[in-house]
Amino acid sequence: MSKVVTVANQKGGVGKTTTTINLAACVAAAEVPVLIIDNDPQANATSGLGFDARNGGKNIYDVLINDVNPFEVIQQTSMPFLSLLPSSINLVGAEIEMVEMENREKLLANVVDSIKNKYSYIFIDCPPSLGLITLNSLVAADSVLIPVQCEYYALEGLTQLLNTINIVKKNLNQKLEIEGVLMTMFDGRLRLSNQIVEEVKKYFGNKVYQTIVNRNVRLSEAPSYGKPILLYDALSSGSKNYMNLAQEFLLRNNHFQTEQVNKDVEN
């Protein structure tokens, strides 16, 4: 059974792409088949995994707009169980082209339906906006993971995102749920960071992950080397944070119990 998780927050710089890459990589490290769909024109998830988004190769734009078979575009990363459907700047034009297309909100959902049986989890990275590309990401997903930065303006815009999620759930995707809320860029020396965590917990309750991602220089460096933090510096606090998050994510999804049930059935 496959699960599709969109990582979303229209506020930029909250660790959305960092979370997509590193949570997916840490889940894949448990020998679980994982796909990242880079649905952001900035293509940071693509470059952050070591692929050149400017090489002119086929990407998510071709899949969405030109009906290219996604399996022709999906790339194998340096991790055996982690694959990538890359993006490029061309995706900027897709939003305009989608406007005239039939069932424009469901273009990505149709793509995901055709490939999801190959993967246990699909993580979708989307742009810091609530436009048609993000809407497609929400319609294609089973759940939304929301990274929230531990800074003063952390809650700004979250109401708008939650309203959008509710509208999508009501009108386009009834199964959509909040997967969880992840606190990122935490600095334990700052009273403000602790206050923000408490505020978010009051609002979201047990949807907030126990794992908190600390500010970490190595985590910031890893994308420039085209590697997830697990491969760049496995002993860093950032790597430990995302390994803990992956474990929490899999436990919340009863993954290990499901795997055992599947083995029992096969036997």
Side-chain angles (χ1 to χ4, degrees):
M1 187 70 180
S2 181
K3 185 168 193 180
V4 183
V5 181
T6 285
V7 183
N9 190 332
Q10 80 271 25
K11 190 174 185 299
V14 299
K16 197 159 61 291
T17 301
T18 299
T19 295
T20 304
I21 290 173
N22 292 301
L23 173 56
C26 290
V27 170
E31 299 189 351
V32 177
V34 176
L35 173 69
I36 293 175
I37 297 178
D38 189 352
N39 203 32
D40 183 351
Q42 296 177 85
N44 289 336
T46 299
S47 58
L49 285 167
F51 295 90
D52 186 356
R54 301 161 298 177
N55 68 359
K58 288 189 172 69
N59 54 72
I60 186 67
Y61 172 85
D62 300 289
V63 175
L64 291 173
I65 305 300
N66 299 325
D67 286 333
V68 171
N69 186 330
F71 288 113
E72 294 178 20
V73 182
I74 290 170
Q75 303 289 324
Q76 178 62 48
T77 73
S78 54
M79 296 184 69
F81 289 86
L82 181 62
S83 301
L84 170 72
L85 181 48
S87 183
S88 84
I89 191 65
N90 291 348
L91 195 58
V92 169
E95 199 139 26
I96 300 165
E97 294 176 62
M98 282 178 180
V99 171
E100 301 297 325
M101 299 176 78
E102 193 174 346
N103 291 323
R104 60 193 179 191
E105 303 91 353
K106 298 183 178 179
L107 294 173
L108 184 59
N110 294 334
V111 172
V112 167
D113 285 344
S114 71
I115 61 176
K116 67 181 183 182
N117 289 339
K118 295 282 184 183
Y119 306 96
S120 295
Y121 298 100
I122 295 176
F123 293 95
I124 304 174
D125 189 30
C126 50
S129 70
L130 293 178
L132 197 47
I133 291 176
T134 297
L135 183 60
N136 263 266
S137 301
L138 294 173
V139 174
D142 297 303
S143 61
V144 188
L145 194 158
I146 308 171
V148 177
Q149 191 177 2
C150 294
E151 292 197 354
Y152 183 72
Y153 293 111
L155 301 177
E156 190 179 75
L158 269 187
T159 302
Q160 191 180 359
L161 175 62
L162 294 175
N163 286 342
T164 301
I165 291 170
N166 288 332
I167 290 167
V168 170
K169 183 171 182 175
K170 183 178 178 181
N171 298 297
L172 294 164
N173 181 7
Q174 293 181 353
K175 69 181 184 294
L176 189 64
E177 301 289 346
I178 293 177
E179 179 71 29
V181 178
L182 176 68
M183 305 306 302
T184 64
M185 304 182 195
F186 179 80
D187 187 340
R189 298 168 299 178
L190 302 178
R191 184 186 301 173
L192 177 63
S193 287
N194 292 289
Q195 288 173 341
I196 295 295
V197 171
E198 290 309 310
E199 281 295 312
V200 172
K201 283 182 176 177
K202 276 185 203 171
Y203 193 84
F204 288 100
N206 62 7
K207 288 289 184 185
V208 181
Y209 289 105
Q210 291 180 10
T211 302
I212 293 176
V213 179
N214 297 293
R215 281 197 177 278
N216 179 239
V217 173
R218 306 297 275 171
L219 199 54
S220 304
E221 291 173 350
S224 64
Y225 290 86
K227 294 180 179 180
I229 188 63
L230 191 61
L231 298 184
Y232 179 64
D233 187 348
L235 299 179
S236 67
S237 65
S239 181
K240 291 171 185 174
N241 290 161
Y242 277 106
M243 284 300 288
N244 289 338
L245 177 64
Q247 184 176 29
E248 192 175 349
F249 172 85
L250 291 170
L251 286 170
R252 281 193 181 193
N253 282 286
N254 299 313
H255 179 85
F256 301 110
Q257 291 93 320
T258 305
E259 289 289 286
Q260 188 58 51
V261 168
N262 290 341
K263 286 177 183 176
D264 292 343
V265 169
E266 287 169 8
N267 294 333

